[in-house]
Amino acid sequence: MIKILTSDNQSSFFSRLDPRIRLLWMTAISVVAVLWSNPISIGLTALTIIPVAVSANLTPKILKFSYKMIPYLFFLFLLQVVPRFIFGGKSEPYLFRYQGMDVSPNEVTKALVESFRFYIMLISAQIIFLTTNFGEITSAIRQLPPKLKSNS
């Protein structure tokens, strides 16, 4: 088992909640992160994760996980900016320009929002995996109402 995904914290308020509530929380955070594209809304969504991480006594683990995610998030940011820089049109005002290619601050903001959106979903999933063992997750999914389960 991967050590970073194991559940070892069963004494906190968040880990004593029903696993279905924790899955619902993760789903709600992910849906909000996907639906909202305003940088302020994404930032506020990220701020809602902080009290949950603190109440679950996971702050050091989340900080360690976040530190390890920086190169991947930077790569995701570059995947968003570089094509806009190469294939983007003329935009005024531009943040930087090189031989007729330019990137506007709006395009950089969009790339940051996309990267941060991915980060929010990863952190919420990380909190679930750190507070819930896999047996609880599978039993919580089995206990979902039939209309919420996929028909496969």
Side-chain angles (χ1 to χ4, degrees):
M1 181 66 65
I2 299 172
K3 185 172 171 50
I4 200 164
L5 293 179
T6 58
S7 171
D8 60 352
N9 186 9
Q10 296 298 325
S11 62
S12 69
F13 169 74
F14 192 74
S15 61
R16 285 183 298 218
L17 289 174
D18 188 65
R20 292 174 289 183
I21 299 297
R22 288 179 265 172
L23 287 173
L24 179 66
W25 173 80
M26 182 190 71
T27 304
I29 291 290
S30 298
V31 166
V32 165
V34 167
L35 292 179
W36 290 351
S37 61
N38 184 355
I40 295 172
S41 302
I42 294 292
L44 290 175
T45 304
L47 288 178
T48 61
I49 294 175
I50 293 172
V52 173
V54 170
S55 72
N57 301 326
L58 295 174
T59 308
K61 289 183 180 183
I62 295 298
L63 289 175
K64 183 178 178 182
F65 180 75
S66 298
Y67 180 72
K68 289 181 179 181
M69 286 302 301
I70 290 172
Y72 302 107
L73 293 172
F74 184 69
F75 179 70
L76 184 61
F77 172 75
L78 288 179
L79 281 177
Q80 298 283 325
V81 170
V82 170
R84 290 178 179 156
F85 178 69
I86 294 173
F87 302 114
K90 304 288 184 211
S91 58
E92 293 291 333
Y94 55 87
L95 188 62
F96 53 88
R97 175 176 277 183
Y98 178 74
Q99 295 182 355
M101 298 181 287
D102 55 0
V103 173
S104 71
N106 191 24
E107 292 167 341
V108 172
T109 303
K110 287 179 186 176
L112 283 172
V113 165
E114 290 296 322
S115 300
F116 207 61
R117 179 179 291 158
F118 183 70
Y119 172 75
I120 289 170
M121 291 188 284
L122 280 177
I123 290 296
S124 65
Q126 180 69 15
I127 290 173
I128 294 297
F129 287 132
L130 287 172
T131 59
T132 312
N133 64 30
F134 292 115
E136 289 178 330
I137 291 175
T138 55
S139 67
I141 292 172
R142 276 191 228 124
Q143 293 173 3
L144 288 175
K147 291 183 179 182
L148 295 178
K149 293 181 188 176
S150 65
N151 295 327
S152 50

